[in-house]
Amino acid sequence: MEARVDVLLGAQWGDEGKGKVVDVVAPDYAVIARFQGGPNAGHTLIFDGKKHVLHTIPSGVFREGVWNLVGNGVVIDPVIFLREVKELDDAGVDVRPRLLISRRAHLILPTHRALDAASEADKGKEKIGSTLKGIGPTYMDKTGRNGLRMGDIERPDFKERYNALVAKHERLFSIYDKEVEWRSKEEEWLNAVEALRQFTLVDSEQWLDKQLREGRSVLAEGAQGTLLDIDFGTYPFVTSSNTISAGACIGLGVGPGRIGKVIGIFKAYCTRVGSGPFPTELHDAVGDAIRTAGNEFGSTTGRPRRCGWLDLPALRYAVMINGVTELAMMKADVLSGMDTIRVCTGYSIHGEKTDTLPFDLSADVEPIYTDMKGWGKLDPDQALPATAEAYIAYIEKATGVPVRIVSVGPDRSATMVREVAVEAP
Ligand code: GDP
Ligand code: IMO
Ligand code: MG
């Protein structure tokens, strides 16, 4: 029987714990496939007392017998990619035999990174808070039909194509006030492109089609989160790709009828790194306490993450846009010890109440809260306390979707699976 593509994605502003859950469920799949984003992502996996952070490589890489595919929707920086492979080598994992890269995936050039930095500096106070990995300029070149793709490295005239794109970028630099230095990065980048030749490039849409026909199931691993989606996120404070479930169809080349479950990952609270609206953000000791308890510092940039209460209208929006069939609630342990946990159930905008996400999620949006009872220490080997169950039941009622996974610690083992009825898609 033909297999399905399940999609696992972030339902908030990224860093929900996608990497951890992918690693936990990966043994149930034949293939783990990244479908968008690039090294702006940082997916953390912790097991056997060791921590691994993946940026471009899918989070199924630590599981025996699982294929890992970097799909056509991903953008790849060869230097960062190789660094990641080296770190995995050092950890005793040779990814080469089980890692495939789509020929259609676009390349991030050193000039893309320089353009990202120049654009951010030029925006001043309006800056996006980009990870400065060149994501925006690379996707701009993709849609502008200028980009270089992985498959191009197999062409004899790759260097000429590279030079032509760099020449275009040099003309673009002239619109920025500051001198843009990037040449010092060129040699390392070109060497990394050479080294990429030892990896297996595939026409990934064809390869995936074959896997599915032969009954091998696929998990599409999202990067970033729904509220960072280029269309449905808090624009312009978003990333440059479609992070939502529809992005998996585009970023892998699979038809919508082949999608199975859509697993939405969310934290028991909210975080955001970078600029942009965040209605439930806490600028007080409680926000600081969550940041400390949750170790909320960026996996890619090390920046402190902004912290706040769970935003149900935003989560409901994510469920709607993605067609989420089940949820995973992460970092429940971080709220342990709080007497009261607040949940945003709606917003007041100039005195008008609403429980849906408005077009403009700006500073005038006042969250309306319901207070819930907190819980104590959580143990993955014991039933959840009644107050935690009540919190989950409240979320399930508000979203109409079951919470099947509850994560109570960063380690792979600190994961609980709840008995819930999940409707077959
Ligand atoms: P991703 O980008 O969605 O994969 O998430 P990140 O890896 O950027 O950020 C999630 C962080 O939370 C990582 O440091 C994880 O190790 C950690 N984490 C994941 N699940 C839990 C959990 O249930 N409890 C705690 N305390 N930490 C967790
Ligand atoms: P994972 O996959 C959290 C944020 C940046 C910035 C905005 C645009 O680990 O969840 P970009 O570099 O894409 O141009 O930045 O998006 N951002 C993320 N925030 N997690 C991520 O990935 C992110 N990737 C980008 O902070 O606000
Ligand atoms: Mg992350």
Side-chain angles (χ1 to χ4, degrees):
M1 208 178 85
E2 185 168 304
R4 293 282 182 131
V5 180
D6 289 346
V7 184
L8 184 151
L9 45 75
Q12 296 167 325
W13 278 285
D15 300 329
E16 296 89 350
K18 298 174 291 292
K20 170 178 168 169
V21 185
V22 172
D23 171 59
V24 168
V25 302
D28 298 341
Y29 294 90
V31 183
I32 308 295
R34 276 279 304 271
F35 60 90
Q36 44 69 233
N40 49 348
H43 295 182
T44 314
L45 289 69
I46 300 180
F47 54 89
D48 298 341
K50 287 205 195 84
K51 172 172 153 175
H52 308 271
V53 183
L54 298 167
H55 302 286
T56 322
I57 293 176
S59 303
V61 82
F62 293 100
R63 299 295 197 172
E64 287 288 316
V66 175
W67 285 99
N68 289 271
L69 171 72
V70 180
N72 57 278
V74 176
V75 291
I76 300 173
D77 182 327
V79 174
I80 297 179
F81 179 85
L82 282 188
R83 204 177 297 148
E84 239 178 296
V85 170
K86 163 96 177 43
E87 278 171 19
L88 289 167
D89 276 343
D90 293 346
V93 180
D94 179 11
V95 294
R96 290 165 193 82
R98 293 181 291 116
L99 183 68
L100 303 172
I101 308 174
S102 172
R103 288 199 172 86
R104 294 178 190 274
H106 279 245
L107 284 169
I108 303 174
L109 274 56
T111 41
H112 285 132
R113 291 188 70 161
L115 283 169
D116 203 359
S119 160
E120 281 286 83
D122 190 59
K123 282 191 158 103
K125 281 216 299 260
E126 304 298 311
K127 73 173 187 202
I128 311 292
S130 151
T131 58
L132 303 180
K133 303 293 176 202
I135 304 296
T138 306
Y139 280 114
M140 279 165 71
D141 269 343
K142 175 178 177 174
T143 51
R145 295 157 295 179
N146 296 315
L148 283 178
R149 297 184 291 175
M150 279 301 296
D152 291 328
I153 73 171
E154 296 173 320
R155 297 183 197 263
D157 63 347
F158 174 74
K159 191 69 196 297
E160 284 90 86
R161 287 168 187 258
Y162 165 80
N163 286 336
L165 185 52
V166 165
K168 272 190 187 161
H169 291 163
E170 287 201 298
R171 289 198 291 278
L172 285 177
F173 288 138
S174 64
I175 67 171
Y176 296 108
D177 295 339
K178 282 209 192 92
E179 185 87 359
V180 181
E181 200 291 310
W182 62 274
R183 280 280 176 200
S184 60
K185 307 277 190 300
E186 185 175 46
E187 192 184 342
E188 188 186 17
W189 190 87
L190 288 170
N191 288 340
V193 167
E194 276 306 309
L196 277 185
R197 295 180 200 281
Q198 47 174 304
F199 291 86
T200 311
L201 304 191
V202 288
D203 295 330
S204 51
E205 64 283 14
Q206 311 276 9
W207 183 83
L208 276 175
D209 177 62
K210 184 165 184 292
Q211 304 311 309
L212 294 171
R213 280 179 195 280
E214 293 176 0
R216 285 186 281 279
S217 58
V218 176
L219 180 68
E221 173 180 358
Q224 291 80 54
T226 303
L227 298 169
L228 290 172
D229 180 89
I230 182 73
D231 279 272
F232 298 103
T234 47
Y235 193 89
F237 301 101
V238 294
T239 191
S240 299
S241 65
N242 282 115
T243 61
I244 61 169
S245 55
C249 293
I250 297 165
L252 294 175
V254 293
R258 287 177 133 173
I259 302 294
K261 294 194 282 191
V262 179
I263 307 162
I265 314 291
F266 73 102
K267 286 180 193 174
Y269 49 94
C270 270
T271 63
R272 171 162 209 170
V273 60
S275 333
F278 180 4
T280 63
E281 181 171 12
L282 291 163
H283 299 278
D284 58 10
V286 180
D288 293 344
I290 293 176
R291 186 175 308 105
T292 305
N295 190 24
E296 295 294 358
F297 297 89
S299 321
T300 297
T301 57
R303 291 178 291 178
R305 295 176 183 147
R306 300 154 64 192
C307 298
W309 298 117
L310 181 64
D311 185 332
L312 278 181
L315 186 60
R316 222 176 0 245
Y317 185 78
V319 166
M320 172 185 84
I321 292 290
N322 294 301
V324 167
T325 58
E326 61 180 78
L327 289 163
M329 185 171 94
M330 311 302 289
K331 306 190 92 159
D333 56 303
V334 172
L335 301 183
S336 289
M338 288 192 173
D339 294 334
T340 303
I341 296 172
R342 310 197 87 185
V343 186
C344 166
T345 56
Y347 312 114
S348 171
I349 306 171
H350 303 297
E352 291 263 335
K353 289 192 174 140
T354 177
D355 61 3
T356 56
L357 211 63
F359 170 73
D360 184 6
L361 205 59
S362 65
D364 296 336
V365 174
E366 277 288 315
I368 301 166
Y369 289 111
T370 286
D371 287 352
M372 309 277 299
K373 277 213 173 73
W375 50 81
K377 228 169 164 321
L378 301 176
D379 180 342
D381 298 321
Q382 286 186 4
L384 283 168
T387 46
E389 281 291 352
Y391 188 74
I392 291 167
Y394 193 84
I395 294 166
E396 290 180 321
K397 188 150 184 282
T399 57
V401 179
V403 174
R404 202 172 64 84
I405 291 174
V406 179
S407 176
V408 297
D411 194 90
R412 187 191 261 177
S413 62
T415 315
M416 303 168 80
V417 180
R418 295 172 73 241
E419 292 288 327
V420 292
V422 179
E423 273 176 47

